[in-house]
Amino acid sequence: MTLPVTHPFLQVENLARIYPSPTGGDAVTVFDHVNFRIHKGEFICVTGHSGCGKSTILNILAGLDSASAGNVFMDGREVSGPSLDRGVIFQSHALMPWLTVLENVAFAVKSRWPNWSRPKVHVHAMRYIELVGLKGAEHKKPSQLSGGMKQRVGIARAFSIEPKMLLMDEPFGALDALTRGVIQEELLKICAETQQTVFMITHDVDEAILLSDRIMLMSNGPHARIAEIVNNTLPRPRDRSAIHKQPLYYPIRNHLVDFLVSRSKLFGSLREAADAPSSPAVFDPADLVESGFSDRVEAVQPAPAGKPQIHLVNA
């Protein structure tokens, strides 16, 4: 099955995942009616409470799991299994411990281009090793690397196969704050250079604001859905040490935190209400301040070119 030429790069239609009860009782619907689109070169972050199905959605996009209902199309074709067109980075680096950094990356490169000569594979692998700041460590084995360095190898390996889309499941969750910040900055640079399309799961609100173009907020499960989509209009390039000085940073951040603390729990019941909105709503900075979402009201200066747009998805 293919889509027309005008399709978005990734299109998810009415996705659902239902697990049968192991005891023979009622089946559990983790999520249903999940719909979203991603355009080429976009960086999308997804957040929500544990159990809402974020990782399951990522695994379906990767072709590692099957949906109970719905369809996923990427670049005009239906996703029906794993493919080197989709690179995956998990929280665990999953490196082969008997291979060096260079050999781990080269193994992926050879899988992608099996007819390449050894020198060509070497040059290509080293390019991505250098991109993640590991030049000089290419002959070390994973046991000789820190946790942050291992994760950089995983990132280099995923980027080296030049996937059409990169899927990341909390890739920095196990790292300390300083290492996490350094790798976030490396990821920003690589994505700016390669124009990579990224779908990333994170529980870190600040990470989502730093990295993403849009942030998808999932309601609590069961029957979880994409409840809201926040357009992150903070200008690029973004500096992790200075992003909090942007006038729109706190309204966006407080809106995200408010959703995770309060509104995600209420969405399940509200979506069935008779007066539930039938079309997406858009909020500008003034709406956020008036709603009490900003703890720095004096810093918020609405600007036509920089409005945070928060769309409530008609689920």
Side-chain angles (χ1 to χ4, degrees):
M1 185 184 302
T2 60
L3 288 176
V5 177
T6 56
H7 68 278
F9 178 70
L10 182 87
Q11 183 165 330
V12 175
E13 300 176 343
N14 294 315
L15 207 65
R17 190 65 171 93
I18 303 170
Y19 290 100
S21 170
T23 59
D26 293 338
V28 176
T29 301
V30 181
F31 56 81
D32 57 8
H33 298 288
V34 170
N35 296 276
F36 60 87
R37 297 179 175 187
I38 299 177
H39 297 286
K40 187 72 174 176
E42 270 195 301
F43 197 123
I44 302 297
C45 281
V46 183
T47 191
H49 290 281
S50 296
C52 67
K54 303 182 298 298
S55 294
T56 304
I57 291 174
L58 182 142
N59 286 334
I60 292 172
L61 299 186
L64 302 175
D65 196 0
S66 299
S68 303
N71 300 287
V72 177
F73 299 93
M74 191 186 82
D75 204 20
R77 296 186 177 277
E78 189 169 17
V79 172
S80 58
S83 168
L84 289 173
D85 284 340
R86 281 160 273 131
V88 185
I89 302 176
F90 297 105
Q91 187 169 340
S92 172
H93 51 78
L95 301 179
M96 290 174 279
W98 59 90
L99 299 181
T100 65
V101 169
L102 176 59
E103 289 167 343
N104 266 282
V105 178
F107 181 87
V109 175
K110 285 186 286 187
S111 298
R112 178 67 163 172
W113 296 285
N115 295 325
W116 278 14
S117 66
R118 186 171 181 177
K120 188 172 183 178
V121 169
H122 177 92
V123 170
H124 187 84
M126 281 303 302
R127 177 195 170 200
Y128 287 92
I129 290 171
E130 291 176 19
L131 270 179
V132 298
L134 286 179
K135 185 178 181 179
E138 62 267 23
H139 298 302
K140 293 184 177 180
K141 292 186 176 180
S143 61
Q144 299 172 288
L145 305 177
S146 67
M149 293 172 75
K150 292 174 185 176
Q151 201 64 350
R152 288 190 190 199
V153 179
I155 293 172
R157 181 175 59 186
F159 274 97
S160 71
I161 63 172
E162 297 181 356
K164 293 181 178 180
M165 186 169 188
L166 187 64
L167 305 166
M168 307 176 76
D169 192 352
E170 293 192 77
F172 314 135
L175 303 178
D176 64 87
L178 290 176
T179 303
R180 186 187 190 108
V182 171
I183 298 183
Q184 286 170 348
E185 291 176 350
E186 294 289 347
L187 182 61
L188 282 172
K189 292 176 185 176
I190 296 172
C191 288
E193 179 174 327
T194 62
Q195 296 297 300
Q196 180 70 58
T197 306
V198 181
F199 179 92
M200 176 177 171
I201 295 171
T202 180
H203 282 108
D204 188 326
V205 167
D206 296 299
E207 180 171 78
I209 296 174
L210 175 67
L211 298 175
S212 72
D213 297 305
R214 290 189 293 151
I215 304 166
M216 297 183 182
L217 303 177
M218 289 196 69
S219 64
N220 292 3
H223 294 277
R225 297 183 184 181
I226 304 290
E228 298 182 13
I229 299 178
V230 178
N231 284 345
N232 184 0
T233 54
L234 295 182
R236 293 185 184 274
R238 297 176 189 152
D239 183 342
R240 188 172 62 93
S241 64
I243 192 173
H244 66 282
K245 297 177 183 178
Q246 292 287 338
L248 301 180
Y249 175 82
Y250 283 99
I252 296 175
R253 187 183 193 279
N254 292 344
H255 184 85
L256 299 178
V257 172
D258 180 74
F259 177 87
L260 294 172
V261 172
S262 303
R263 290 179 290 120
S264 62
K265 302 179 183 68
L266 299 174
F267 180 80
S269 59
L270 291 177
R271 75 177 185 219
E272 305 298 339
D275 59 349
S278 58
S279 60
V282 179
F283 296 86
D284 65 21
D287 294 319
L288 293 175
V289 173
E290 291 169 6
S291 300
F293 293 145
S294 177
D295 61 4
R296 287 198 174 184
V297 176
E298 71 281 2
V300 180
Q301 300 295 330
K307 291 184 178 181
Q309 296 178 326
I310 299 165
H311 300 275
L312 300 185
V313 176
N314 181 20

